[in-house]
Amino acid sequence: MFHSLSHRQQGLLLTGGGALIISPDALLIKLIGLPDSEILVWRGLLTALGFVIIMLARHGAGTFAAYRRCGWTGISVALLFSFSTFGFVLGNQYTKGGNVLMILAGAPLIAALLSRLFLGERLPQRTWLAIWLCLLGTSLIVLDDAGAGSWIGNGFALLAATALAANFTLCRTRPGVDMSPMLTLSGLIVAATAALFGLAGGGIALPPADSLLLLVLLCLVLLPLGFTLIQRGPLYLPAAEVGLLMLLEVVVGTLWVWWVLDERPAPVALAGGALVLGTLLAKGLYERRLERRLRRRGAAKRELC
């Protein structure tokens, strides 16, 4: 069924599905309740293991060849993904969560500019409109939590957004090469770096049983599966559109926190979420209609020939 979809529809399904899978990230981090350094160590180790398991399931004996195909570009992708992880976690530590999400919502815009500058990719006007509408919607979601914050925290959030956008743009330079295997290396980089800071601060302890179970669910299952799908997105879609679909995580993640922890969003946040979801849905339906129209024209031309 998946292969019967158009190239673009496959990209939308992979990226949107991946964003939905990782949407409980913020909720589970709240429930786990560990210091940032410990979360990063376990997050890095468990996600690396999860990515290896996925690679073995997908490629079997060809796993090592799949890693080799990524080359030096893959190493750069791993570093950029690590920077985005550190920027997100440290940004939340030094400034308000609303500031971080608002800056991260700019990732599609940054990706669009990078793709235009380095790849010469032009986006249709409807995509630019969707980017600005989703940026407005995300701003409404985090309005209550936003503030002046710390310049350091805002800087980390900007690092996360830029690294994420650069990651997706870089993947577009190797058409047809799946860069998701290199997320294994990214997990190891995150774990090793966080472990150094954790040891300097007094060491890393084994989490309590309930926290460990949530860590396994999040880091061994949800994050590897979700980010594997998202990282494959640039094989099918422009970098800006991959970043745009990742905004689903912000909206659905807010709903998870509301449902489980009863942290009710403000009415303006609900309006912002509706704007993001409505924009993405309207854009998807419009482009599906365009695809069908183009297929009908193509079929008509073949009949005339």
Side-chain angles (χ1 to χ4, degrees):
M1 181 179 178
F2 178 77
H3 294 289
S4 66
L5 300 174
S6 69
H7 194 71
R8 179 177 186 79
Q9 288 172 342
Q10 290 176 13
L12 293 173
L13 185 60
L14 287 172
T15 310
L20 292 175
I21 289 171
I22 67 171
S23 62
D25 191 359
L27 168 66
L28 292 176
I29 290 296
K30 285 176 176 285
L31 294 175
I32 290 167
L34 294 177
D36 289 335
S37 60
E38 292 190 28
I39 286 179
L40 282 170
V41 169
W42 293 108
R43 185 185 182 106
L45 289 175
L46 290 172
T47 53
L49 177 60
F51 288 129
V52 169
I53 293 172
I54 290 173
M55 287 297 298
L56 290 172
R58 289 178 59 200
H59 299 285
T63 296
F64 183 69
Y67 281 105
R68 287 190 60 186
R69 277 195 297 271
C70 298
W72 289 103
T73 302
I75 294 176
S76 300
V77 165
L79 289 172
L80 288 169
F81 195 83
S82 302
F83 283 138
S84 68
T85 300
F86 282 120
F88 177 76
V89 173
L90 294 175
N92 277 288
Q93 181 176 351
Y94 287 100
T95 190
K96 293 184 176 182
N99 288 30
V100 175
L101 292 177
M102 192 177 296
I103 294 171
L104 280 175
L109 180 60
I110 297 172
L113 296 175
L114 290 176
S115 297
R116 182 70 183 93
L117 182 62
F118 293 105
L119 305 179
E121 286 187 346
R122 293 179 178 272
L123 295 176
Q125 290 184 349
R126 63 180 179 272
T127 300
W128 283 106
L129 177 61
I131 288 173
W132 288 111
L133 286 175
C134 287
L135 188 59
L136 172 61
T138 309
S139 299
L140 293 175
I141 293 172
V142 302
L143 189 61
D144 285 345
D145 192 27
S150 161
W151 285 106
I152 296 176
N154 292 339
F156 277 125
L158 182 59
L159 170 66
T162 305
L164 194 64
N167 169 14
F168 295 144
T169 304
L170 187 60
C171 289
R172 298 283 290 176
T173 65
R174 297 284 305 278
V177 179
D178 180 10
M179 291 294 169
S180 63
M182 299 310 293
L183 298 182
T184 306
L185 176 59
S186 174
L188 296 176
I189 292 172
V190 169
T193 306
L196 290 175
F197 284 97
L199 291 174
I204 304 295
L206 187 67
D210 54 347
S211 295
L212 185 59
L213 287 174
L214 292 176
L215 273 171
V216 169
L217 172 63
L218 175 64
C219 303
L220 188 62
V221 180
L222 297 181
L223 294 182
L225 180 58
F227 278 120
T228 294
L229 297 177
I230 291 169
Q231 194 66 49
R232 287 173 55 80
L235 292 171
Y236 303 86
L237 300 171
E241 295 204 42
V242 176
L244 194 62
L245 285 167
M246 283 199 68
L247 296 181
L248 283 171
E249 179 195 0
V250 176
V251 178
V252 180
T254 301
L255 297 177
W256 275 111
V257 174
W258 178 15
W259 180 43
V260 177
L261 300 181
D262 201 28
E263 293 183 9
R264 181 181 178 86
V268 68
L270 294 175
L275 178 59
V276 172
L277 292 177
T279 298
L280 294 177
L281 178 61
K283 181 176 181 295
L285 291 175
Y286 177 75
E287 288 173 345
R288 184 181 179 186
R289 182 179 177 185
L290 285 180
E291 284 184 345
R292 287 180 172 178
R293 186 182 303 171
L294 289 174
R295 282 200 297 269
R296 285 198 296 268
R297 287 180 181 175
K301 287 182 179 179
R302 286 192 297 272
E303 288 178 1
L304 290 176
C305 293

